[in-house]
Amino acid sequence: MKREGIIIGGGASGLMAAITAAENGASVTILEHMPRVGKKILSTGNGKCNMTNRFLSEECYRCGDRDFPMQAIRAFGQEQTIAFFRRLGVLTTEKNGYVYPASGQAQTVLDALRAKAECLGVHMVCDCHIVSIRKKNHGKRELFEINSDCGLFLADFVILSAGSMAAPSTGSDGSGYELAKTLGHKIKKPLPALVQLKCRGDFFKSLAGVRTDAKVSLYILGKNGERETLLASDTGELQLTDYGISGIPIFQVSRYAAEALDRKKRVLAAVDFMPSFAAEEVYSVLKEQRTYLGDREAAEFLNGLFHKKLAALFLKAAHIRPEQTVSGIPDRMLSELSDWIRDFPFEVTGTNSFDKAQVCMGGVNTRDVDPLTMESRLVKDLYFAGEILDVDGICGGYNLQWAWSSGHAAGENAAKRR
């Protein structure tokens, strides 16, 4: 007799779970509270869908149990993901390890998943909101009862793949956490991750729109403002906004800022605006600049090195007057200017909200979930997949890879379980 399964949430992990379960002989229904399945997939990779990455390691994931994500990923990793989508008709292309559909469109990936699910007879019920879920004996069978505004559904197994709280407009509204809690699972507090940082300072409006390569180092500050603990660092294109800092390196470290701020810690982002230069090299460049532009005003001193808005910020920080002659800038001021360029401190006051975050940190505690099968250790035949779990990856296709890997594990094991 076919196993009857309900998948709550039709995002990336839910669609993967549905297809895998159906391929393994289960009868599958997806319950999705949005008008259509897979909306969040369309926003991934800036609309191009960064499906996975050739370079995968445990350092790419953050989780309360460090090895939890990689146990699922080792069983179904990037090679299996690429082969899976090729069987769905999707050809992939790679750039510096980042894997995309050859079409360059996320819609290609969603269409392929939806078409395959339909071919396998997966039933999709959209605009469906879950009211409650429980297990109850039905004769000799113990079944899940899923009560919804679309009626009552019965199932041998349930896969919770309802997402996190990031980007709620795409369907991730945190409702899955409440369902998990009613079934006895603990939730680590969700916080925005892969998100912009808000910073203190009245100069940000003048810097809005500036982009530059930089290294960002995130610190917890002590009681006296000293740098107490290095949380994380990353290098890449920094974007300055009217409220703070953004860009890939900010996204990569943002979850650590969110967590520290939630613990009422003071957080500092120290930015090196010349990350490819050593300290003495920056000072040497500035001395050369003084030699070449000695007859100019200081306002023009850094224009060949930085965006004019940044140059003005550095000069002001080093107390160099724009109207003074470059040749008159003393060595001690050049040294101070070098220090500001290499280590400009921005105090972080918060993150942007969930609606701006790509993913969340936090979620269902992974200690209560089998990392190989994604089955609950507390409730038989209950499985989890995707962002609902306390797993978040860095930028670069890692979160989608987690969706594919966890969805595949959940779907395969739920269908085969007897």
Side-chain angles (χ1 to χ4, degrees):
M1 186 171 64
K2 275 190 173 184
R3 295 256 289 169
E4 300 279 343
I6 293 291
I7 297 175
I8 299 176
S13 62
L15 285 166
M16 172 61 86
I19 290 168
T20 306
E23 287 181 328
N24 282 276
S27 176
V28 180
T29 298
I30 294 175
L31 304 183
E32 167 59 50
H33 68 185
M34 296 292 283
R36 300 189 76 186
V37 297
K39 182 176 180 180
K40 194 169 184 178
I41 294 173
L42 298 178
S43 63
T44 59
N46 290 321
K48 296 180 181 180
C49 192
N50 187 184
M51 300 163 66
T52 184
N53 199 296
R54 286 287 187 183
F55 308 109
L56 286 174
S57 69
E58 68 177 25
E59 287 75 25
C60 302
Y61 293 93
R62 290 77 178 252
C63 175
D65 178 357
R66 186 178 177 88
D67 193 47
F68 183 91
M70 290 307 296
Q71 291 190 61
I73 290 169
R74 280 191 285 267
F76 190 88
Q78 64 271 63
E79 295 299 335
Q80 290 89 345
T81 294
I82 292 168
F84 170 84
F85 279 101
R86 190 69 193 97
R87 292 194 297 273
L88 269 56
V90 178
L91 186 67
T92 56
T93 185
E94 179 186 337
K95 184 177 181 181
N96 300 323
Y98 292 58
V99 178
Y100 300 88
S103 68
Q105 294 182 304
Q107 187 71 56
T108 300
V109 175
L110 176 54
D111 288 347
L113 289 167
R114 194 160 45 204
K116 183 63 174 179
E118 290 172 352
C119 285
L120 290 167
V122 173
H123 186 42
M124 302 182 202
V125 182
C126 295
D127 285 318
C128 180
H129 300 84
I130 309 302
V131 176
S132 64
I133 180 170
R134 63 176 180 167
K135 290 195 83 172
K136 189 176 180 181
N137 288 324
H138 285 254
K140 294 182 179 181
R141 299 168 68 194
E142 188 179 29
L143 300 176
F144 286 94
E145 290 185 352
I146 300 96
N147 187 24
S148 77
D149 58 3
C150 293
L152 180 68
F153 297 86
L154 301 179
D156 296 298
F157 66 85
V158 166
I159 300 175
L160 264 178
S161 55
S164 62
M165 293 178 68
S169 64
T170 64
S172 298
D173 63 357
S175 56
Y177 298 141
E178 296 306 313
L179 295 176
K181 283 198 283 189
T182 65
L183 293 165
H185 279 268
K186 294 179 180 178
I187 308 298
K188 181 178 178 181
K189 184 178 179 178
L191 296 169
L194 300 188
V195 69
Q196 307 87 351
L197 297 179
K198 298 177 181 179
C199 298
R200 194 181 311 283
D202 57 5
F203 48 80
F204 281 104
K205 288 186 178 180
S206 67
L207 298 174
V210 173
R211 295 172 181 247
T212 184
D213 285 340
K215 178 181 178 180
V216 180
S217 300
L218 207 65
Y219 294 90
I220 287 179
L221 295 180
K223 292 181 179 179
N224 298 318
E226 74 279 9
R227 298 178 189 187
E228 192 173 77
T229 307
L230 175 63
L231 295 173
S233 63
D234 200 73
T235 302
E237 187 181 67
L238 179 76
Q239 298 174 30
L240 291 141
T241 70
D242 59 0
Y243 56 80
I245 44 182
S246 181
I248 297 298
I250 300 303
F251 283 13
Q252 305 291 43
V253 304
S254 59
R255 58 107 62 200
Y256 297 103
E259 188 173 36
L261 290 166
D262 188 60
R263 292 190 288 120
K264 308 303 180 185
K265 299 292 185 179
R266 289 180 62 197
V267 177
L268 182 82
V271 179
D272 180 353
F273 285 94
M274 293 184 74
S276 59
F277 290 78
E280 61 276 9
E281 290 176 322
V282 174
Y283 181 61
S284 294
V285 167
L286 294 180
K287 288 185 74 174
E288 277 187 344
Q289 196 82 343
R290 183 176 60 184
T291 300
Y292 298 144
L293 304 178
D295 60 343
R296 308 279 187 87
E297 288 188 346
E300 302 176 55
F301 181 46
L302 299 177
N303 289 353
L305 305 178
F306 301 102
H307 190 289
K308 288 184 178 182
K309 293 179 180 179
L310 269 182
L313 177 69
F314 297 146
L315 292 173
K316 184 176 181 180
H319 304 289
I320 298 174
R321 292 177 290 105
E323 69 275 9
Q324 77 177 87
T325 305
V326 168
S327 60
I329 301 174
D331 287 350
R332 62 175 179 78
M333 278 191 165
L334 282 190
S335 179
E336 185 179 353
L337 180 60
S338 174
D339 290 342
W340 282 107
I341 290 169
R342 293 187 57 257
D343 189 14
F344 202 100
F346 297 110
E347 184 170 358
V348 180
T349 58
T351 69
N352 268 350
S353 58
F354 285 110
D355 64 326
K356 299 294 184 182
Q358 293 185 16
V359 297
C360 283
M361 60 167 292
V364 173
N365 192 322
T366 55
R367 293 180 182 178
D368 295 325
V369 180
D370 187 314
L372 297 178
T373 65
M374 295 296 127
E375 186 176 17
S376 166
R377 298 187 193 275
L378 308 179
V379 182
K380 182 182 177 183
D381 292 316
L382 172 65
Y383 297 79
F384 295 94
E387 287 184 39
I388 193 170
L389 287 155
D390 176 26
V391 175
D392 57 287
I394 62 174
C395 293
Y398 297 101
N399 288 291
L400 271 181
Q401 181 59 62
W402 171 243
W404 313 136
S405 298
S406 59
H408 185 272
E412 182 177 56
N413 288 283
K416 290 181 177 179
R417 179 74 182 264
R418 288 291 182 269

